[in-house]
Amino acid sequence: TLNIDPFDPVIYQGDTITLSANTSTSSTNPIGNLTYQWAPSTGILASSNEVVLTRPLQTTTYTVNTVSDAGCLQQETITVTVLPPNFGVPNAFSPNGDGKNDFFKVEFSGNVTIETFQIYSRWGELVFNNENDAGWDGNFELEGMPQDVYVYNIVLRMPDGRKEVLTGDVTLLR
């Protein structure tokens, strides 16, 4: 029998997944050497039972054909469901060191990158300018900023290359 793992895979757009074609036989019915052919084309050698799908952008059904030395053919299909990236930002955070909501950051799943992450005080002063996933800890020039409302401008790059701009405000609670 021929099986593909993982069973019913669901990933976020831009993530990577490995599909494996597994065969099982009995000792009275050996298979011998197998050739694997994946479709749509994955760019792998036809003798490999694994395929690494790097950053698929849409849901796709893959088929693997196995051919034994004796010419026996088995076929199996699997659909890899690709979800769009998911992201959001909180409307408040409390950088008090308790390990809960200590950073203002973008929460996302999928292969999203942060291109711009800027936070301004209510007077228009840039208090945070970074491009990392760690987020803002509520400090500016090594000092804790006061409890207040701050404005953010965040630019995300989606796996398909388009940009998503997030603007709004966040409340820093002390």
Side-chain angles (χ1 to χ4, degrees):
T1 62
L2 174 65
N3 298 309
I4 302 177
D5 290 325
F7 185 73
D8 291 335
V10 176
I11 62 172
Y12 284 100
Q13 190 179 53
D15 284 350
T16 299
I17 187 170
T18 300
L19 300 179
S20 297
N22 301 306
T23 56
S24 61
T25 63
S26 67
S27 59
T28 59
N29 187 17
I31 292 178
N33 292 324
L34 294 175
T35 300
Y36 298 86
Q37 297 170 327
W38 291 87
S41 177
T42 58
I44 63 161
L45 298 174
S47 62
S48 177
N49 73 314
E50 288 191 345
V51 60
V52 177
L53 306 175
T54 304
R55 299 185 175 130
L57 297 177
Q58 62 191 20
T59 297
T60 303
T61 299
Y62 294 89
T63 302
V64 62
N65 292 314
T66 59
V67 181
S68 70
D69 288 341
C72 295
L73 172 70
Q74 290 186 27
Q75 184 179 75
E76 189 68 45
T77 62
I78 188 167
T79 299
V80 177
T81 303
V82 180
L83 303 175
N86 189 9
F87 55 88
V89 292
N91 59 7
F93 75 114
S94 57
N96 57 10
D98 69 354
K100 299 176 185 172
N101 301 315
D102 286 335
F103 291 89
F104 172 67
K105 62 183 179 178
V106 181
E107 298 290 339
F108 57 86
S109 51
N111 191 11
V112 176
T113 56
I114 298 172
E115 288 194 353
T116 303
F117 193 157
Q118 298 172 325
I119 301 175
Y120 297 87
S121 70
R122 70 172 55 227
W123 300 279
E125 181 181 19
L126 182 65
V127 297
F128 182 78
N129 186 20
N130 205 339
E131 297 157 7
N132 66 37
D133 297 344
W136 183 42
D137 63 2
N139 292 321
F140 177 59
E141 295 180 348
L142 302 177
E143 290 190 28
M145 296 298 290
Q147 180 168 308
D148 207 343
V149 176
Y150 295 84
V151 176
Y152 61 84
N153 178 48
I154 302 169
V155 178
L156 304 176
R157 175 72 66 178
M158 299 293 111
D160 61 4
R162 67 184 168 82
K163 290 184 180 182
E164 189 79 32
V165 178
L166 308 176
T167 57
D169 58 67
V170 60
T171 302
L172 187 156
L173 301 170
R174 294 273 181 201

